[in-house]
Amino acid sequence: MLTNTSNSYGWIAIAFHWLSALAVFGLFALGYWMVDLDYYSSWYKEAPHLHKSIGLLLALLTLARIGWKIKQTTPKGIGAKWEIAAAHFTHLALYLLLLSIFLTGYLISTADGRGIDVFNWFTLPSSGEWVEHQEDIAGDIHRWLAYTVIGLAILHAAAAIKHHVISKDNTLKRMLTPTINEDEE
Amino acid sequence: MKKTLIAASLLAFTSGFANAADYVIDTKGAHASINFKVKHLGYSWLTGRFDDFSGTFSYDPAHPEASKISVTIDPESVNSNHAERDKHIRSGDFLDVSKYTNASFTSTKIEDLGDGKLKVYGDFTLHGTTKPIVINAEKIGEGDDPWGGYRAGFSGTTSFEMADYGLKMNMGTVEMTLHIEGIKQ
């Protein structure tokens, strides 16, 4: 039940997936909102602090998730050959985009040697300035990759809904609970 | 005989003006700085500077009022010792440096107040806006340097309102402190 099988996701993979989904959309909304906050807003300091703290914890979660994914069997794809190929490509792209967003976010805030406080719990140290105007370059990339990941995540969700409603297969359901019946088609 | 005397004295007079020496501001050796300070919440001063600028001046100690100075500043080089803040200052909320790539000061008139004190009138361009400002300047010293050159140095202060230059965010008055050392050409 905790681990994957050849046609079912285990609870751990399911938890990783939905926790990430929640964090990704939450971070996007928070990020989109906080950059236009007024200087005198009471959220001006708190919102970026939350964004960075949650973002770095999601980075840790994602690394653990990738480690788990590598060790686990991946359930077989459902649908036409091209659908399976497109799904694989999308999943890979989502992982790469997330990792790039974590990295660029880190590079914005650490460009001047300052570390990042994660919930006043620990400080992730800076790795210094790698390129001139790192905070500007990393900031632009961070923003565009964030738009891209949200676009791709919406496509990913739309595909899951298509499988559920039109193809009437198990694609969405097996990401909600592990399939108990192992030989279910 | 009389005519040649007049001609000679005229020549002496004009060559007296020609004694105004040209100086290049020693940005290469970093013996010059353009510093600013802005009040933070009205509770303290936040200081910063522009790291990249260049300029020249002409100066004749016998005729300080005939002096001239012009300086160009790269607004992208703003440095307040905090990457995230510098990113913000470069953004459209403040200097919008991708749009306004140049800032400059050119003197239009210099008033000699005696005792090494000068009033430098000129046009200051920032954020695509040019306005007259006055720099209260003071000569610090001049003379031979130990390496075969000749130097003259000045300090000055001035101030302007962010709102006057059309900056989107308005943090009030910017106080500028300038230190320049020129090397005689």
Side-chain angles (χ1 to χ4, degrees), chain B residues 95-116:
Chain B
L95 299 181
D96 204 357
V97 302
S98 55
K99 203 164 156 197
Y100 306 108
T101 51
N102 256 304
S104 63
F105 175 78
T106 309
S107 67
T108 50
K109 188 180 85 175
I110 290 179
E111 212 177 290
D112 180 18
L113 304 178
D115 214 14

Side-chain angles (χ1 to χ4, degrees), chain A residues 104-105 107-108 133-143, chain B residues 87:
Chain A
T104 49
L107 290 175
I108 301 170
H133 293 326
Q134 176 172 305
E135 60 276 21
D136 296 314
I137 298 163
D140 281 340
I141 300 173
H142 189 75
R143 184 196 311 121
Chain B
K87 179 174 183 289

Side-chain angles (χ1 to χ4, degrees), chain B residues 87-170:
Chain B
K87 179 174 183 289
H88 194 194
I89 297 172
R90 286 193 287 265
S91 79
D93 278 350
F94 292 97
L95 299 181
D96 204 357
V97 302
S98 55
K99 203 164 156 197
Y100 306 108
T101 51
N102 256 304
S104 63
F105 175 78
T106 309
S107 67
T108 50
K109 188 180 85 175
I110 290 179
E111 212 177 290
D112 180 18
L113 304 178
D115 214 14
K117 301 232 182 338
L118 304 160
K119 256 188 178 346
V120 182
Y121 296 82
D123 294 322
F124 179 48
T125 303
L126 183 73
H127 195 251
T129 309
T130 303
K131 301 236 165 199
I133 59 168
V134 184
I135 301 173
N136 292 305
E138 179 190 3
K139 186 169 98 173
I140 306 301
E142 69 175 306
D144 293 326
D145 68 27
W147 317 288
Y150 189 93
R151 293 170 187 249
F154 299 83
S155 273
T157 56
T158 186
S159 66
F160 64 89
E161 296 298 318
M162 284 193 192
D164 288 348
Y165 285 85
L167 306 192
K168 198 170 142 204
M169 277 181 89
N170 184 5

Side-chain angles (χ1 to χ4, degrees), chain A:
Chain A
M1 289 293 272
L2 286 179
T3 56
N4 296 356
T5 67
S6 63
N7 60 9
S8 166
Y9 285 105
W11 279 119
I12 291 175
I14 292 172
F16 272 135
H17 174 266
W18 289 106
L19 210 53
S20 297
L22 187 71
V24 166
F25 279 92
L27 283 167
F28 180 78
L30 183 57
Y32 189 82
W33 173 71
M34 75 182 192
V35 293
D36 287 325
L37 278 175
D38 183 78
Y39 188 72
Y40 300 99
S41 160
S42 56
W43 284 99
Y44 189 85
K45 272 172 65 70
E46 191 59 18
H49 175 64
L50 281 174
H51 184 86
K52 291 180 225 176
S53 298
I54 297 169
L56 285 175
L57 291 181
L58 179 64
L60 285 178
L61 185 93
T62 304
L63 291 178
R65 184 183 177 189
I66 291 170
W68 180 253
K69 185 181 167 64
I70 289 168
K71 279 183 66 182
Q72 290 284 299
T73 351
T74 302
K76 282 199 290 282
I78 301 171
K81 218 174 186 171
W82 73 267
E83 286 180 306
I84 294 169
H88 275 312
F89 173 79
T90 306
H91 297 160
L92 183 69
L94 285 170
Y95 281 111
L96 290 177
L97 281 165
L98 285 181
L99 294 176
S100 310
I101 293 168
F102 301 144
L103 181 69
T104 49
Y106 168 81
L107 290 175
I108 301 170
S109 300
T110 57
D112 55 13
R114 285 177 173 78
I116 301 175
D117 293 332
V118 178
F119 286 120
N120 308 321
W121 169 29
F122 68 93
T123 303
L124 187 68
S126 163
S127 63
E129 190 182 31
W130 297 85
V131 288
E132 206 192 348
H133 293 326
Q134 176 172 305
E135 60 276 21
D136 296 314
I137 298 163
D140 281 340
I141 300 173
H142 189 75
R143 184 196 311 121
W144 289 110
L145 292 185
Y147 286 134
T148 310
V149 87
I150 290 301
L152 211 54
I154 289 169
L155 185 74
H156 168 73
I161 291 165
K162 179 260 167 196
H163 277 279
H164 188 71
V165 176
I166 298 171
S167 313
K168 298 191 192 304
D169 62 29
N170 238 352
T171 307
L172 180 60
K173 274 193 283 184
R174 72 175 179 177
M175 196 35 97
L176 296 171
T177 54
T179 313
I180 298 159
N181 190 351
E182 285 293 325
D183 52 23
E184 184 182 316
E185 185 48 55

